[in-house]
């Protein structure tokens, strides 16, 4: 596989469920990102990982828990979500996230999450 | 504070027309980067161009061209002779460095472009 892949592509879950989103990049990048895209809202950066270390957490509620076991894989663990968390969750990767941020990001197709 | 404004929420044009997507940004940094991304119906954002703050030269790539003007803090994107396949949501983004060594990446709200056959 090439590029950035995300699974599952669609997920429906109840508020009491626990689920995980998976992202994998095959580009040799060392930075990975989670974004939330809601209708009529800007893309919201949630988390940034640089060389497996979390370098950014944009005041994301604790019901979202990221995990980055290595530079190629990124997970987003979900538990006790709310209906307003329904959105498209996008994963991206890039070369080194530090410094001047001059690197373009490569995005996966996203996971469409619906919380009932 | 840094901000990216894409005032055009949605634009509809007829195939072969030219269309310009506006992007206005705010930043206090002298060093920053600007990007355009395309999000087709499939969902994944596709990188189109990067421009750093020291390079105001306009760029053309096929039917796409970009006009960067620091004096007006704008980075506009023009599609010449639009095609139905250009239909997508287009995002402008800004990144700037921080003293911590990380950077902040801000996206605009996007402009939905519909090209009608």
């Amino acid at each position: 596989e090439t590029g950035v892949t995300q699974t599952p592509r669609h997920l429906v879950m109840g508020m009491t469920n626990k689920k995980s989103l998976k992202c994998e990049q095959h580009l040799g990048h060392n930075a990975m990102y989670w974004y939330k895209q809601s209708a009529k809202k800007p893309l919201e950066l949630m988390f940034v990982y640089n060389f497996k270390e979390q370098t950014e957490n944009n005041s994301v509620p604790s019901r979202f828990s990221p995990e980055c076991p290595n530079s190629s894989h990124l997970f987003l663990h979900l538990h006790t979500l709310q209906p307003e968390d329904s959105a498209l969750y996008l994963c991206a990767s890039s070369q080194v996230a530090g410094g001047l941020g001059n690197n373009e990001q490569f995005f996966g197709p996203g996971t469409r999450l619906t919380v009932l | 504070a840094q901000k990216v404004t894409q005032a055009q929420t949605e634009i509809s044009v007829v195939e072969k027309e030219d269309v310009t997507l506006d992007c206005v940004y705010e930043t206090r940094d002298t060093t920053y980067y600007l990007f355009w991304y395309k999000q087709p119906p499939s969902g994944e954002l596709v990188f189109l161009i990067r421009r750093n703050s020291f390079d105001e030269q306009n760029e053309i790539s096929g039917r796409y061209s970009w006009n960067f003007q620091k004096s007006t803090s704008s980075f506009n994107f023009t599609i010449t002779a639009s095609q139905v396949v250009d239909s997508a949501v287009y995002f402008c983004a800004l990144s700037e460095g921080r003293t911590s060594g990380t950077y902040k990446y801000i996206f605009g709200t996007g402009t939905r472009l519909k090209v009608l056959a």
Side-chain angles (χ1 to χ4, degrees):
Chain A
E1 292 215 53
T2 59
V4 181
T5 58
Q6 289 186 243
T7 54
R9 294 294 308 275
H10 300 272
L11 178 63
V12 179
M13 59 187 288
M15 289 191 285
T16 58
N17 292 159
K18 287 186 181 181
K19 296 286 183 184
S20 296
L21 309 184
K22 179 183 176 183
C23 175
E24 186 173 357
Q25 59 97 0
H26 308 267
L27 300 167
H29 292 161
N30 39 44
M32 295 187 78
Y33 313 78
W34 279 117
Y35 287 89
K36 176 183 178 182
Q37 186 177 29
S38 308
K40 298 182 181 179
K41 283 178 116 178
L43 226 59
E44 299 172 67
L45 178 64
M46 301 174 72
F47 301 104
V48 180
Y49 277 82
N50 188 2
F51 289 100
K52 301 188 299 177
E53 298 299 319
Q54 188 180 121
T55 57
E56 189 92 18
N57 177 338
N58 266 350
S59 303
V60 181
S62 59
R63 57 186 184 270
F64 295 92
S65 173
E67 179 190 359
C68 188
N70 55 61
S71 293
S72 300
H73 293 85
L74 184 65
F75 295 89
L76 188 62
H77 303 301
L78 316 170
H79 63 99
T80 55
L81 294 192
Q82 305 297 312
E84 59 265 29
D85 296 321
S86 299
L88 181 68
Y89 288 85
L90 291 161
C91 173
S93 71
S94 75
Q95 286 296 358
V96 180
L100 299 177
N102 62 341
N103 301 297
E104 63 270 30
Q105 298 183 10
F106 293 78
F107 285 80
T111 294
R112 175 70 63 186
L113 174 67
T114 302
V115 181
L116 302 176
Chain B
Q2 52 285 95
K3 188 178 176 183
V4 176
T5 301
Q6 293 180 256
Q8 304 151 309
T9 305
E10 186 168 315
I11 301 175
S12 291
V13 298
V14 176
E15 207 170 18
K16 297 184 183 175
E17 283 185 356
D18 299 348
V19 59
T20 295
L21 309 181
D22 299 332
C23 174
V24 174
Y25 62 92
E26 293 177 30
T27 178
R28 289 174 293 187
D29 277 17
T30 55
T31 301
Y32 53 89
Y33 296 82
L34 295 162
F35 303 79
W36 275 97
Y37 288 85
K38 173 182 179 180
Q39 186 178 35
S42 59
E44 61 189 272
L45 276 77
V46 177
F47 165 75
L48 295 178
I49 190 172
R50 173 187 64 230
R51 176 64 78 226
N52 75 56
S53 53
F54 298 108
D55 181 4
E56 284 192 76
Q57 199 167 18
N58 290 330
E59 182 156 338
I60 297 174
S61 175
R63 296 184 296 107
Y64 295 170
S65 62
W66 290 269
N67 184 350
F68 176 29
Q69 292 197 340
K70 287 178 77 170
S71 60
T72 56
S73 296
S74 65
F75 187 41
N76 296 338
F77 172 30
T78 297
I79 302 175
T80 303
S82 59
Q83 300 175 2
V84 173
V85 293
D86 296 326
S87 297
V89 181
Y90 291 86
F91 291 91
C92 180
L94 161 73
S95 79
E96 54 185 25
R98 297 181 190 160
T99 54
S100 63
T102 59
Y103 67 94
K104 195 169 180 67
Y105 213 98
I106 303 291
F107 281 85
T109 50
T111 296
R112 181 177 299 279
L113 174 64
K114 292 185 178 179
V115 181
L116 307 172

